Amino acid sequence: MEKKTCLNCGAPIQGRADKKFCDDQCRNNYNYKQYADNSNFMRRINHRLKKNRNILESLIPSGEDMYKAPKDRLMREGFDFVYFTHTYETKKGSVYHFCYDYGYLALEGDWYLIVRRKES
């Protein structure tokens, strides 16, 4: 009969034929590692998106729905133009990039129009 070993630590397993782990701690550690590896990529992207959204939100003055900001100010704040949740194209062809409910539109001369999406 073939000796089975724990999927987490490699220790010999005794007990049921379908047993995969030597104890509950090894089972929990193994499953945590699997989950962490799979979700780490998404966690980093979500963190980046939230940071971009917070930067856009912080630039719009209280009580306003839009604000113009130069690209270098966005960059100083740590904004990353690679990450956005969706785009919106107007009938005129302007393309807004959104990070959840805050978006931006590239203007001439490295300026950006930052907008807050109106709730419907």
Side-chain angles (χ1 to χ4, degrees):
M1 187 169 179
E2 185 179 325
K3 294 268 186 184
K4 294 188 92 178
T5 58
C6 176
L7 293 177
N8 186 57
C9 69
I13 297 177
Q14 295 180 352
R16 293 189 341 245
D18 63 341
K19 197 171 177 183
K20 296 179 181 180
F21 304 99
C22 60
D23 59 23
D24 287 338
Q25 184 177 357
C26 274
R27 178 178 47 82
N28 289 337
N29 287 340
Y30 179 84
N31 288 327
Y32 175 77
K33 285 180 200 171
Q34 295 291 84
Y35 174 76
D37 290 345
N38 291 335
S39 66
N40 195 29
F41 177 71
M42 291 186 306
R43 194 174 314 132
R44 282 195 321 262
I45 290 174
N46 283 331
H47 176 71
R48 188 72 247 172
L49 288 168
K50 288 177 188 177
K51 183 173 181 182
N52 278 355
R53 183 212 176 270
N54 291 340
I55 291 169
L56 294 175
E57 179 185 29
S58 72
L59 292 174
I60 296 179
S62 181
E64 299 290 325
D65 287 329
M66 60 181 67
Y67 179 75
K68 279 187 183 179
K71 182 177 184 175
D72 64 333
R73 179 161 182 203
L74 289 166
M75 300 288 281
R76 272 194 320 259
E77 298 283 336
F79 193 84
D80 191 339
F81 289 92
V82 174
Y83 296 100
F84 52 90
T85 56
H86 62 285
T87 59
Y88 174 76
E89 186 172 351
T90 65
K91 291 178 182 177
K92 293 180 181 178
S94 301
V95 178
Y96 287 81
H97 293 79
F98 277 85
C99 295
Y100 303 109
D101 55 338
Y102 286 86
Y104 58 93
L105 172 68
L107 302 172
E108 292 179 13
D110 278 345
W111 281 83
Y112 285 85
L113 178 65
I114 301 167
V115 298
R116 179 184 351 218
R117 188 182 78 196
K118 293 183 172 106
E119 294 183 28
S120 45

